[in-house]
Amino acid sequence: MKRTWWKEAVVYQVYWRSFLDTNGDGYGDLEGVRQKLPYIKELGADVVWLNPFYVSPDRDNGYDIADYYQVMDEAGTMKDFERLLDEAHAIGLKVILDLVVNHTSDEHPWFLEAKASKDAPKRDYYIWHDPVDGGVPNNWRSYFAPSCWELDSQSGQYYYHSFAVEQPDLNWENEELRQEIYRMMRFWLDKGIDGFRMDVINLLAKRKDLSDVANPYDLSYLANNPGIHEYLQEMHEEVLQHYDCMTVGEIPFVTPAEGLLYVDESRRELDTLFHFQIADEMPTWDMLRFKAIQRDWYEGLNGRGWNSQFLNNHDHTRQVTRYGNDGEHRVASAKLLATLTHTLPGMPYIYQGEEIGMTGVTFDSIDDYQDIAMRNRYAEEVANGRDPEEVFASLQLLSRDNSRTPMQWTDEPQAGFTTGVPWMRVNPNYYELNVATDLEREDSVFRYYQQLIQLRKSHETLIYGTFEDLLPEDEFLHAYVRELDGTRFTIVLNHSDEPRDLSIDVEGDKIVLQNVKNDEARLLPHEARIYMKKTAI
Ligand code: ISL
Ligand code: CA
């Protein structure tokens, strides 16, 4: 496979509304991101991914867009964005934006026009269906609602929405609509952005067979439908191939074989993908399952498509809480999880705050949660008669708010995130868990991320090397090898709260990075070691 800048890059995801507030309104903003670009650079990241900041009524935190060409007030102005982009480029950081084109907001002018009447010129920008037996056309659910069909009383037709009622899906069968999207993509690429993270991009094509599904809670019927690859190949042909840009598709509901169809270089669709066999399908840590997923994706993509490695983001609970130990072993565990994402095959993504081991949070009441996904599901289940306490407890761990609490910069009030009232409560542990504290300590999580990123940059074996799992059956020890051109790295991780014997031979290998101080052969709890050996002169 050809070598590219993005295959060697580390991406830092900025959820700007929780990153840094510079005007005291309690919301993070683009000016806050600009001010912290040197911080992101110091960490060692190469690319900044900004979650959507376009004009939006904010029903789904910016993923319901009402104007693709303007910056929402809370985020700032287009000038703020342009200044951020210029300064990022000036210090060697690239910037990719979130492309949300499966749906718009129901307040987008296109939808307001389409809704006005059945024969409105833009009616066909969206997906409408007559009632069936006086009700919804079928039993399909959406991510955020019991049905993916919403009645438009004005026309008596239902419109299709894969997410919230306020997020009507665009009709990608409409050529004019597709050209509108390509025009918008060129607008941002011509400003100099370096690519896109593409929101649920494998949902663009819709299932033609509208009959009921056996299990409406298995939402895979929303994705990977016939026509999707033609749309992405047209997008590549019309837009992407004309720019030096990277694209990462958010691609739920795919196996490695299905994922390859989106990122096989020869198919000229996308560059890399986030699959969800871990984040959406592995609720808590399951070592054997994790190992099998990593082997399957390495074998499934190897040599033809590029993977991405992430263990949390703005939709998923913070990794040290969900997949590690956020208690007595929090620091070692945060470093161990980072070692995984930065030494397994694929592009590593750092979600803001994971670089200091920020933890998930559980609030006491549903009123403290803002996530539309959680609030809608809670209301639905309670309306169906389930016990509110039990519903609340069942939704807490996987609520998306867990990873959206403000970035913890200092031990000052509101963790230095804002001088106002934050839009979401700060995690109470900010007093000792914050960037300032980590920057002062040599053995902090932040310093370890720096060393890890530096090691990966200095040895392309960790980027382009082969991958072999040495302990496929071990539930607690993870050991794998990356090899290229006579250099071998052996990564060994004790993903458990107990010390464990090292059960592989690393005779003659040199430890080049270790997350805890330990000279014994026996591994301490959550100890990570990276060994290196020159196998050929
Ligand atoms: O949140 C999830 C499950 O807990 C994810 O499955 C997520 O909803 C799904 O991957 C789609 O996410 C993307 O599109 C949504 C938006 O709410 C998410 O924030 C975005 O990452 C609709 O645009
Ligand atoms: Ca602000």
Side-chain angles (χ1 to χ4, degrees):
M1 288 179 80
K2 63 179 183 296
R3 298 190 173 198
T4 66
W5 62 263
W6 47 268
K7 286 179 183 168
E8 298 165 17
V10 172
V11 183
Y12 187 86
Q13 179 192 354
V14 173
Y15 196 67
W16 56 269
R17 63 186 65 223
S18 298
F19 193 61
L20 178 65
D21 170 22
T22 58
N23 65 346
D25 68 355
Y27 259 87
D29 39 58
L30 294 178
E31 173 54 16
V33 181
R34 185 193 66 78
Q35 289 181 14
K36 290 297 180 181
L37 289 172
Y39 166 77
I40 298 170
K41 182 72 181 175
E42 182 189 359
L43 176 63
D46 310 283
V47 180
V48 174
W49 156 26
L50 287 172
N51 288 97
F53 53 75
Y54 321 101
V55 167
S56 162
D58 246 9
R59 298 285 177 285
D60 183 22
N61 289 13
Y63 281 93
D64 48 319
I65 295 168
D67 185 341
Y68 285 107
Y69 293 87
Q70 295 294 333
V71 175
M72 79 158 83
D73 290 344
E74 292 83 352
T77 65
M78 184 61 88
K79 276 267 165 292
D80 292 334
F81 170 72
E82 288 162 350
R83 194 171 164 215
L84 185 168
L85 183 63
D86 290 347
E87 292 196 13
H89 286 163
I91 63 173
L93 286 173
K94 292 181 182 289
V95 176
I96 66 173
L97 301 191
D98 222 310
L99 184 74
V100 187
V101 292
N102 174 67
H103 47 271
T104 67
S105 159
D106 61 351
E107 296 181 25
H108 192 292
W110 291 344
F111 189 69
L112 298 179
E113 253 185 76
K115 229 174 91 163
S117 81
K118 273 189 180 176
D119 44 27
K122 287 192 171 55
R123 183 82 176 178
D124 191 44
Y125 274 24
Y126 295 87
I127 299 161
W128 306 87
H129 205 284
D130 289 332
V132 170
D133 302 337
V136 289
N138 56 32
N139 69 345
W140 302 357
R141 291 180 64 91
S142 83
Y143 271 95
F144 300 159
S147 171
C148 71
W149 301 101
E150 177 68 9
L151 181 64
D152 161 42
S153 48
Q154 208 272 344
S155 66
Q157 285 191 308
Y158 287 89
Y159 67 83
Y160 181 98
H161 58 91
S162 304
F163 290 90
V165 163
E166 299 90 341
Q167 295 169 290
D169 278 41
L170 288 166
N171 172 19
W172 271 73
E173 289 187 17
N174 183 303
E175 156 84 25
E176 191 187 305
L177 180 271
R178 298 203 304 272
Q179 289 303 329
E180 284 276 10
I181 298 298
Y182 302 153
R183 185 168 70 84
M184 178 269 288
M185 292 173 70
R186 291 188 200 99
F187 169 82
W188 290 104
L189 286 162
D190 288 341
K191 279 188 176 296
I193 67 166
D194 302 287
F196 291 107
R197 174 268 189 188
M198 298 192 177
D199 191 60
V200 283
I201 200 70
N202 60 324
L203 270 61
L204 301 185
K206 313 308 178 189
R207 175 176 286 207
K208 289 279 172 299
D209 167 9
L210 291 183
S211 44
D212 281 0
V213 290
N215 172 13
Y217 286 87
D218 167 3
L219 297 174
S220 52
Y221 50 86
L222 300 175
N224 309 314
N225 288 303
I228 181 59
H229 295 292
E230 288 73 9
Y231 293 147
L232 294 177
Q233 286 161 17
E234 180 185 75
M235 181 189 281
H236 191 277
E237 176 73 21
E238 295 264 351
V239 183
L240 299 172
Q241 68 162 339
H242 303 292
Y243 297 87
D244 174 19
C245 65
M246 74 159 269
T247 56
V248 50
E250 184 191 33
I251 312 264
F253 308 116
V254 287
T255 62
E258 293 160 337
L260 179 62
L261 296 176
Y262 292 94
V263 296
D264 182 327
E265 288 185 345
S266 65
R267 292 172 58 89
R268 302 167 62 77
E269 293 186 23
L270 303 176
D271 290 324
T272 184
L273 82 162
F274 298 137
H275 67 72
F276 284 82
Q277 290 195 328
I278 299 166
D280 268 354
E281 300 165 31
M282 195 175 87
T284 53
W285 189 255
D286 176 340
M287 176 69 101
L288 298 185
R289 184 167 176 181
F290 181 82
K291 288 179 174 179
I293 290 167
Q294 292 297 339
R295 288 195 303 275
D296 292 350
W297 279 89
Y298 175 68
E299 282 138 32
L301 298 184
N302 187 28
R304 295 161 60 196
W306 206 255
N307 198 4
S308 286
Q309 296 286 353
F310 72 102
L311 290 174
N312 58 188
N313 59 25
H314 65 292
D315 290 330
H316 296 92
T317 305
R318 288 192 168 276
Q319 58 195 43
V320 74
T321 296
R322 185 182 188 192
Y323 291 140
N325 177 315
D326 66 359
E328 64 168 309
H329 297 294
R330 181 184 66 83
V331 172
S333 177
K335 295 175 181 177
L336 179 144
L337 294 171
T339 308
L340 275 174
T341 49
H342 286 73
T343 60
L344 283 166
M347 284 182 86
Y349 286 71
I350 300 171
Y351 175 56
Q352 70 181 44
E354 77 168 73
E355 77 275 13
I356 58 169
M358 271 177 67
T359 65
V361 66
T362 45
F363 295 125
D364 317 334
S365 129
I366 185 70
D367 299 331
D368 293 320
Y369 286 88
Q370 310 203 31
D371 175 14
I372 188 169
M374 177 169 186
R375 296 182 67 85
N376 283 7
R377 191 60 184 275
Y378 176 84
E380 179 191 353
E381 296 296 336
V382 169
N384 289 342
R386 272 184 64 195
D387 166 46
E389 283 302 305
E390 188 244 317
V391 174
F392 178 63
S394 69
L395 295 173
Q396 258 185 323
L397 178 69
L398 296 182
S399 161
R400 304 188 299 174
D401 285 341
N402 288 310
S403 58
R404 298 176 176 183
T405 58
M407 185 70 181
Q408 295 163 202
W409 295 106
T410 68
D411 59 9
E412 293 157 338
Q414 306 301 356
F417 163 71
T418 179
T419 54
V421 177
W423 73 279
M424 174 174 280
R425 283 171 45 191
V426 173
N427 188 321
N429 65 14
Y430 75 89
Y431 196 74
E432 62 282 336
L433 205 175
N434 59 68
V435 167
T437 305
D438 258 38
L439 289 175
E440 279 159 17
R441 295 181 45 177
E442 273 319 298
D443 64 348
S444 64
V445 179
F446 182 89
R447 294 296 175 205
Y448 186 82
Y449 266 79
Q450 278 183 310
Q451 293 156 23
L452 194 50
I453 294 168
Q454 199 41 51
L455 181 72
R456 186 174 174 279
K457 276 191 185 353
S458 325
H459 298 280
E460 58 181 27
T461 300
L462 291 172
I463 298 169
Y464 296 109
T466 57
F467 167 77
E468 186 200 346
D469 183 350
L470 300 181
L471 297 173
E473 300 311 318
D474 194 309
E475 263 187 270
F476 302 108
L477 276 191
H478 205 157
Y480 50 91
V481 170
R482 304 294 312 274
E483 201 141 18
L484 181 72
D485 299 343
T487 299
R488 182 180 69 206
F489 284 94
T490 304
I491 296 94
V492 183
L493 311 166
N494 174 11
H495 199 138
S496 76
D497 294 346
E498 308 303 326
R500 291 187 194 279
D501 290 330
L502 179 55
S503 54
I504 57 161
D505 170 21
V506 281
E507 199 49 46
D509 292 19
K510 184 164 66 73
I511 292 184
V512 290
L513 191 60
Q514 197 171 4
N515 70 339
V516 292
K517 285 207 180 346
N518 175 22
D519 301 328
E520 305 298 319
R522 195 163 158 72
L523 292 158
L524 294 176
H526 295 279
E527 180 171 351
R529 284 182 199 165
I530 303 180
Y531 292 88
M532 184 171 121
K533 182 169 193 173
K534 293 283 182 198
T535 52
I537 310 300

